[in-house]
Amino acid sequence: YGGDEFAVILPATTAGEARTVGDRIISALAENAYRAPGRGPIPVTASIGTAAFPEQGRTARDLIAAADAALYRVKDSGGAAVDGGAPRRPTATHGSGGQTPGDDAARLADAV
């Protein structure tokens, strides 16, 4: 998706099921720390935002924007969690250059 972000598309999946998948990803990462030669285990975490059709959006663009906004809520609160309650229209700005989560979402949705 961009930088250290990626998207997982789960057709015919409810918001609750998407949250369960996110929780399973976080658990799997926590249970499988990176092991570098000559070093102790390095923990790996993830920040995950989810969105479901039609509750958080009816178009690819809206769904990606809602999931991206949820992702940034997780990052802003310390990370290593899942947020499945994304609003329909994100408005907060994040990162440099004044971009909103919707800007990234629009680029990804256009590519899909």
Side-chain angles (χ1 to χ4, degrees), residues 51-64 66 87-89:
F53 174 86
E55 298 86 5
Q56 286 110 358
R58 294 191 153 284
T59 67
R61 182 173 291 208
D62 288 344
L63 287 166
I64 293 167
R88 201 177 218 7
R89 295 276 179 195

Side-chain angles (χ1 to χ4, degrees), residues 18 24 31-36 40 69 71 75 95 98-99 108-110:
R24 290 176 62 196
E31 293 167 8
N32 295 288
Y34 175 73
R35 302 203 184 279
L71 166 69
K75 287 182 175 185
Q99 288 186 321
L108 180 59
D110 290 341

Side-chain angles (χ1 to χ4, degrees), residues 4 18 25 30 45 58 66 77 84 93 98 107:
D4 62 348
I25 291 169
T45 64
R58 294 191 153 284
S77 66
T93 57
R107 284 192 294 278

